[in-house]
Amino acid sequence: MSQKSRLTVGVDEPLSLSQSILLGIQHVLAMDVYVVPFIIATAIGLSTEASAGLIQATFLAAGIGTIIQTFIFMKIPIAQGPSFIPIGAIAGIYFANEAGGNGWGTVLGASLIGAIVVILLGLTGTFHKLVNYLVPPIVGGTIIYVVGLSLMPTALTSNVFGAPGEISDNLLLASVTSITLIVCTMIGSKFPNKGRWFRVSSVIMALLVGCLTAEFIGVLDLSAVKGASLFTLPKLAFMGDGLSFELSSIVTMIIIYMVLLAETTGTWFAISNVTEKPLTNETINKGVIGEGISCLISALVGSTPVTGYSTNAGIITITGVASRRVFAAAGVWFIVFGFSGKLATLISSIPSAVIGGVFVVVCGIIAISGMQVIKEVTIGEKEMYVISIPMIIALGLILIPQEFIQTLPNFLQYLFSSPIATASIAAMILNKILPSEAN
C-alpha cells in the first residue's frame, strides 16, 4: 500500500495568483536573507550607502536564482539565498586587494569565475556521478538530519539568546511565535477542510503574532523604515567598481564553491524528501548548472554566492504546500525588495527572536525528515558510525572556539566554517571505508 502524501498542494499542482503571493512571502520572511550581506558589510567596513546597496543586490540575486532553479533547471521548489560559507574568504580577498583600489571588484571577479567552474561540473555530469557513488539513502538521510541539527544552535543562539535586547523579551517572542506556528499547523491538520488555511499560512500568522507581541512589549523598532527610499536601483557590478581577476582569489573562491556544493546537496535531499520528488541524475546536473548560473548572476549584480536554503524544506513540511508557483512568487518578492529600500528595511526590522521562533521549529522538522529516511535503512554497526560520527563532527564544529579555527590553514578554515559540509563529507567517506557486517 502506498504511503499517504503529507502534502496538501503538490509541486506541480495549480494555485491561484493571490494564494501564491501570500504563501510566497512566508518563505521570504523566514529566510533572513539580509543577514549575510549585513555581516559582510560590517566585516569589511562598507559605508551605509554601500551596505544598503549590497543588501538590495542580495535580494535581487536571491529572487532571480530562485526563479531560475524552480522553473528552468531543477524544477522543484528551491529558494536561493546568500551562503554563509564564503564570508571569511570574501573578507580575506577584499582586504588582500583593497590596496589596489578594487577589493570588491576582485571578490566579484573570483565569484564569477568560480560560478563558471560550477556550471561546467553540471554540464559534464561530473557532479551527479559523485553523488550517485557517495550518497546512498543512509548517507542522504544522515545529511538531511545533520542539516537540521546544525542549524538549530544558530536558531537559538543567534536569533534568540544572542539577539539584541533583553533575553527575557527574546524568549517571550520566540515562544509566542513558535506556539502560534504549532497551533496553526495543528488546527490545519485536525480540520483539513475548514482549517486548511491555518496550516498553509501558519508561518506568516506566526510572524505576524510575533511582531504584534514585539510592538506590545515595546521592542519593535520601525524607525529605519521611515527614512528608507521606496524605490532605488541596485548598483550592478559592471556599473560600479567593475570586475577584477586575480589568480589566488579565483583559486580560493573555487575551493569555496566546492564546499558550498557539498552543503547545498544536503538541501536538495531535504527538499526532495519533503516534496516527494526523487533526485534523478538529470535533476542533480541541472541543479548544479542552476546553482552556477545563479552565482554568476549574483556576481554580476554585485552580490555574493547564493545557494539553496534548507529552511524552506521545513516550511513546506509545516504548511503542506510544495507548489513551484509559491516559490516563483517568493522569487518575485525578492526582486521587488531588491528595488525597494523601504520594503527591504521593513523585512530586516522583524525582531530576530521572532524569526528564531519559526526557525528553530523548522530545524526540528528538517531533522525529523532525515530520521524518516534513515529508518528505511537496516541499521547495523557500520551504519551507526555513519550516522553518529557526522553528528558529533557537526556539533563539535559549532561548539569549537573560533580562535582555534582561525589558526588552521585556509582550506581547513573554509571547510570547517560549514559544519553541514564537513559532516556530509565525513558521512560519505565513512560509508565507503567502514566494512559492512559479514552475512
Side-chain angles (χ1 to χ4, degrees), residues 26-87:
Q26 294 187 126
H27 289 276
V28 173
L29 294 175
M31 285 176 64
D32 265 3
V33 164
Y34 62 89
V35 172
V36 170
F38 179 80
I39 292 173
I40 292 172
T42 303
I44 64 178
L46 292 183
S47 65
T48 302
E49 182 183 357
S51 299
L54 178 57
I55 291 172
Q56 282 188 259
T58 301
F59 274 115
L60 183 59
I64 296 172
T66 297
I67 294 171
I68 282 175
Q69 280 288 47
T70 301
F71 273 89
I72 300 176
F73 290 99
M74 293 201 83
K75 294 186 178 180
I76 60 176
I78 296 284
Q80 298 286 104
S83 173
F84 283 80
I85 291 175
I87 290 176

Side-chain angles (χ1 to χ4, degrees), residues 10 27 30 123 220 222 252 256 272 303 313 331 408 418 428:
H27 289 276
L123 288 173
L220 182 63
L222 299 178
T252 297
I256 290 295
S272 171
S303 187
L408 300 175
S418 173
M428 297 175 198

Side-chain angles (χ1 to χ4, degrees), residues 11-160:
V11 171
D12 297 310
E13 289 184 35
L15 206 62
S16 71
L17 179 62
S18 59
Q19 289 175 326
S20 299
I21 290 172
L22 176 63
L23 299 177
I25 193 66
Q26 294 187 126
H27 289 276
V28 173
L29 294 175
M31 285 176 64
D32 265 3
V33 164
Y34 62 89
V35 172
V36 170
F38 179 80
I39 292 173
I40 292 172
T42 303
I44 64 178
L46 292 183
S47 65
T48 302
E49 182 183 357
S51 299
L54 178 57
I55 291 172
Q56 282 188 259
T58 301
F59 274 115
L60 183 59
I64 296 172
T66 297
I67 294 171
I68 282 175
Q69 280 288 47
T70 301
F71 273 89
I72 300 176
F73 290 99
M74 293 201 83
K75 294 186 178 180
I76 60 176
I78 296 284
Q80 298 286 104
S83 173
F84 283 80
I85 291 175
I87 290 176
I90 287 170
I93 292 171
Y94 179 87
F95 288 122
N97 294 275
E98 186 183 18
N102 203 8
W104 191 249
T106 306
V107 170
L108 297 179
S111 298
L112 188 146
I113 298 299
I116 292 173
V117 172
V118 172
I119 294 170
L120 292 175
L121 281 176
L123 288 173
T124 58
T126 304
F127 192 75
H128 93 257
K129 293 175 182 177
L130 290 174
V131 170
N132 289 342
Y133 177 70
L134 295 172
V135 191
I138 182 65
V139 175
T142 299
I143 291 173
I144 297 171
Y145 182 80
V146 166
V147 168
L149 184 69
S150 298
L151 293 175
M152 208 173 296
T154 301
L156 290 171
T157 55
S158 299
N159 290 84
V160 182

Side-chain angles (χ1 to χ4, degrees), residues 1 38 67 85 128 131 172 174 212 239 273 323 342 349 363 380:
M1 185 173 65
F38 179 80
I67 294 171
I85 291 175
H128 93 257
V131 170
L172 173 64
L212 290 173
M239 294 173 60
N273 183 56
S323 172
K342 192 174 287 291
S349 298
C363 294

Side-chain angles (χ1 to χ4, degrees), residues 62-327:
I64 296 172
T66 297
I67 294 171
I68 282 175
Q69 280 288 47
T70 301
F71 273 89
I72 300 176
F73 290 99
M74 293 201 83
K75 294 186 178 180
I76 60 176
I78 296 284
Q80 298 286 104
S83 173
F84 283 80
I85 291 175
I87 290 176
I90 287 170
I93 292 171
Y94 179 87
F95 288 122
N97 294 275
E98 186 183 18
N102 203 8
W104 191 249
T106 306
V107 170
L108 297 179
S111 298
L112 188 146
I113 298 299
I116 292 173
V117 172
V118 172
I119 294 170
L120 292 175
L121 281 176
L123 288 173
T124 58
T126 304
F127 192 75
H128 93 257
K129 293 175 182 177
L130 290 174
V131 170
N132 289 342
Y133 177 70
L134 295 172
V135 191
I138 182 65
V139 175
T142 299
I143 291 173
I144 297 171
Y145 182 80
V146 166
V147 168
L149 184 69
S150 298
L151 293 175
M152 208 173 296
T154 301
L156 290 171
T157 55
S158 299
N159 290 84
V160 182
F161 305 141
E166 298 291 331
I167 190 169
S168 56
D169 291 339
N170 292 336
L171 286 171
L172 173 64
L173 293 176
S175 299
V176 167
T177 307
S178 297
I179 291 169
T180 303
L181 178 65
I182 294 167
V183 168
C184 289
T185 305
M186 289 299 99
I187 291 174
S189 298
K190 181 69 175 177
F191 307 102
N193 294 322
K194 293 182 178 180
R196 177 176 178 268
W197 265 102
F198 278 93
R199 182 184 179 191
V200 299
S201 60
S202 55
V203 173
I204 199 167
M205 287 184 179
L207 293 171
L208 180 60
V209 171
C211 287
L212 290 173
T213 304
E215 173 66 19
F216 179 75
I217 64 177
V219 297
L220 182 63
D221 183 10
L222 299 178
S223 58
V225 180
K226 298 177 182 177
S229 301
L230 179 60
F231 177 81
T232 47
L233 285 172
K235 184 180 179 182
L236 303 181
F238 46 82
M239 294 173 60
D241 298 328
L243 298 171
S244 180
F245 303 97
E246 193 270 324
L247 183 59
S248 63
S249 299
I250 291 170
V251 171
T252 297
M253 196 56 72
I254 289 174
I255 294 171
I256 290 295
Y257 275 117
M258 296 306 103
V259 177
L260 190 148
L261 280 177
E263 183 175 55
T264 201
T265 301
T267 295
W268 294 347
F269 276 104
I271 294 289
S272 171
N273 183 56
V274 300
T275 59
E276 300 162 10
K277 285 275 188 179
L279 282 179
T280 64
N281 292 343
E282 183 182 11
T283 304
I284 293 171
N285 286 339
K286 287 184 175 180
V288 175
I289 297 169
E291 189 94 351
I293 292 177
S294 297
C295 291
L296 188 148
I297 291 172
S298 185
L300 289 176
V301 301
S303 187
T304 57
V306 294
T307 188
Y309 267 41
S310 51
T311 311
N312 306 91
I315 295 174
I316 291 172
T317 302
I318 290 169
T319 63
V321 178
S323 172
R324 290 193 294 145
R325 294 188 182 186
V326 169
F327 281 73

